[in-house]
Amino acid sequence: MAKTILIVDDSASVRQVVSIALKGAGYEVITGNDGKDALTKLNGQRIHLIISDVNMPNMDGITFVAEAKKLPAYKFTPIIMLTTESQEDKKRQAQAAGAKAWVTKPFQPEQMLSAVAKLVQP
Amino acid sequence: MTAPRRFVVDEELTIVTAADHRERLLAFLGDGNGVRVDLSGVADLDTAGLQVLMMTRNEGVRLNLPVEFTEPSPVVTEALALTRLEL
Amino acid sequence: MALDDDMREALDMFITEARDLVQGLEEGLLELEDQPGGGETVNAVFRAAHTLKGSSGLFGLQHLVEFTHVVETVLGSVRDGVLDVTPGLVSALLPCTDHISAMIEGLAGGRLEPDAAQAADGARLLAGLEPYLADGSAMTAGPVVAAPDAPPPEMAWRLVLHFGEDCLRNGMDPLSFLRYLSTLGTVTGVVTVTDRLPEAADMDPESCYLSFEVDLVTAAPKTEIEAVFDFVREDSDIRITPAESQFDTYVRAIRAMPENDRIGDVLITSGAVTELEMAEALRIQQERVVREGNQPVPIGEILIEQGIVPRAIVDAALTRQRRTTETRSQDTRTIRIDAARLDKLIDLVGELVIAQSSTGIPNSAGPDTSSEAQGEVMRLVDEVRHSALSLRMVPIGTTLRRFERVVRDVCMELGKEVSLVITGGDAEMDKALVERISDPLLHLVRNSLDHGIEPAGERRKHGKAQQGTLRLNAYHDAGNIVIEVADDGRGLDRERILAKAIERELVAPGTTLTDSEVYNLIFEPGFSTAETVSNLSGRGVGMDVVKRNVTALRGSIEVETARGIGTTIRIRLPLTLAIIDGFLVGVGPSSFIVPLDRVTECVELPPGPLGRDCMNLRGEVLPFIRLRQIFGVPGQPARRQNVVIVEQSGQRTGLVVDSLLGELQTVIKPLGILFSRVKCISGSTILGNGEIALILDVGPLIAGHSDREQTRQAVPVG
């Protein structure tokens, strides 16, 4: 059974490229345009990994992670936060909210695949 | 002493279901006949799931009850090979 | 990544999206210009830049990443309130959006790289943003692609992985990490340690109780293995050590490395230890020092104890460690203190010396016991004085080594080849003196480079090595420090100096002068032999200023030169300015102190005619100076006078005094401004009995005397 990954990013092209890469590696992918949109995708379906950007309109990534962690079905879901070098404080906030993994932006698809593979195999 | 009851693990034996599985397995052991854990349907197994299986085995030894694991699915076999563990 | 159809589609998406983002960026900036306070607008423009950068990176568009990174950094400062929105900032940012837009359109036209004009444009725009960046705040956007090296050999590693109890709850599954390891290489062995798994009743099914020992054979460097556990590092205990079978490989590799004075560098370079592990070991070392207050445990020991690296490898690294530990530990043993505090201490010691000498005045009535105790006190005070003074002493080497740069720069400027040789850098002298001698030395060095050492061509013609040599040498001599600036240049030109001196009316034409008198003319005010005023030495600070500075420090300067061979300027300075060992002499009611380091012996003045000014000292003629006469001390000389023989620059002179009162340590009190023009006296001191004694400055005293002799002899002739 393929593992399902939720990608949350306000950039359609990021969602697209990451989706292509992850699907290519054998994962199932669903996407969210921002925190608010992503929360609606958390409707109880099994999700094995969440990848979320930090800076997004409507609901930022850190709020989204904190909300997701409140839902019993996603309490233990690993979360990769997309941080930037200059956002050490954001990274700490994200970790406190429950996102213990991260990928530093800008990244290439291979880097994302490698981070995902450490946490979930397809 | 009747034969051990058969316990079928749902498709997911992970952190998500570990607490639930632990309770149910301990309850099975509680009836004093031991348990036969059917692993054929396991589609997802992680460390938490593995720990629950080991706990069940240990508890059987402690209570001197038969605990048997049967028909490991490919996922279970892979995890056991990975950790060089035997059940 | 190949641009297959999916990716082409994604790129098209990116282009569409980027156009929107650039437009949003532009509109936001214009809005901000009107309403600089708009918090939501600030967020929006920042996010636009941020998203642009992130997406560009995904497509490997490094030029766009780098450019938008800077724009993002600036906007980040605005968002964080560090930077205000000004018309200037907006004007600097707007063309950036145009530039990004141009690059996006290029992309749409199929150009993945900017053309030369665009690249130049981008660089110019970024330069325009520089004023808005906090000091070097990430002009680089971090590497996106790491260039693969030639595959390194495979190594065997032993990994001991104790995952934190919470790791499962955090979504981190050890089994996943184990699986991932096999993508790095071959997992040759796994032991799952189940000891910590509690009985069923005590077990929290969401806690992690398993540990793993993994043998991994991989060509990946240790840092890459380490990186596998980045996400669990904080609450796990991850040890990665070279497998035992591999020890020899490391030992051999370390032996083949160049010597290095830092064991950490050796271990990291060898690949046995990662920087992260080293940082952690250093943290443990620091923590222990703080907690236990002991000397730090050697870092190697901590690495062994923490199981990061085996002893065999640490030992190999230790032997590679260069033996510079002595100087290094000296560094760590020094502390910085306020010079004023030191001066205060030395002042106090000075007072103590004075107080001590008042008790030291012979007291025949005193019982023997007290004189014994007194002797002890004197000895102690003397020691205190020495150690207090030594606090001010610093090696002159640091100052001398500073000239390496000067020599290099000046040589570049002059097109000369000169090697600087520094010797005796460990000779110590008073810190204040070091500071005050550095300018005069600088002048001498420049002078040597400028006028002394010939250009390479000229040197070759004279059969000299093409490269000139400038030597800076320092050594202690009879309570003084001597600093020499020696070059192997053309030497001083006696005739030219004399001609110039006559031209400058420093010497009357036809005067016969000894060589050393001629050479000393270069120290006369207003004398300069350089025919062209060069940029270097000829800037109005002549040798006379050098001499004046040296003299002000109670020092002397002399020159030694040989035509075509070189010139040596020798500066002689006291070791310290604060206290000297003196020899107290009496002339009538007055007391004088002769610096002890200048005194060679004392003899009784042989009877003879009053007017003569030399005596026979063991067959040699010794000129002498009657202090009574020089300082105009009233009264009749004592019936039996004494001669204190002093030596200055190899020249011996007698000082005729009434009485010899003995040695004493003297704190020099500078003369007031009123006496600043008085030569021959370098200061005064207060004696134990409260009287004042003047400290003789032997150099000018003798020099002045020979001058007067000359004038006296010259007058009848002329």
Side-chain angles (χ1 to χ4, degrees), chain B residues 15 18-19 22 26 45-48 50-52 54-55 57-59 62 75 78-79 82-85, chain C residues 168-169 173-175 178-179 187-190 192 194 197 199-201 203 205-210 212:
Chain B
I15 176 93
R22 172 177 171 274
L26 288 180
L45 178 68
D46 69 358
T47 306
L50 207 51
Q51 286 185 156
V52 169
M54 287 164 61
M55 172 210 76
R57 185 198 59 193
N58 293 352
E59 192 67 358
R62 193 179 72 83
V75 167
E78 186 266 350
L82 185 68
T83 54
R84 314 293 203 263
L85 286 173
Chain C
L168 303 175
R169 276 182 279 266
D173 180 10
L175 297 191
L178 288 186
R179 286 190 195 101
V187 174
T188 56
V190 176
T192 302
T194 58
L197 192 72
E199 277 192 17
M203 180 187 162
E206 284 149 16
S207 289
C208 180
Y209 300 105
L210 302 184
F212 303 88

Side-chain angles (χ1 to χ4, degrees), chain C residues 335-349 388 391-392:
Chain C
I335 53 164
R336 284 166 175 276
I337 46 168
D338 189 352
R341 291 191 192 182
L342 205 52
D343 288 342
K344 170 81 179 160
L345 175 64
I346 287 167
D347 264 0
L348 284 173
V349 174
L391 293 178
R392 290 193 60 95

Side-chain angles (χ1 to χ4, degrees), chain C residues 175-193:
Chain C
L175 297 191
S176 273
F177 292 104
L178 288 186
R179 286 190 195 101
Y180 185 85
L181 280 179
S182 59
T183 65
L184 289 184
T186 313
V187 174
T188 56
V190 176
V191 175
T192 302
V193 183

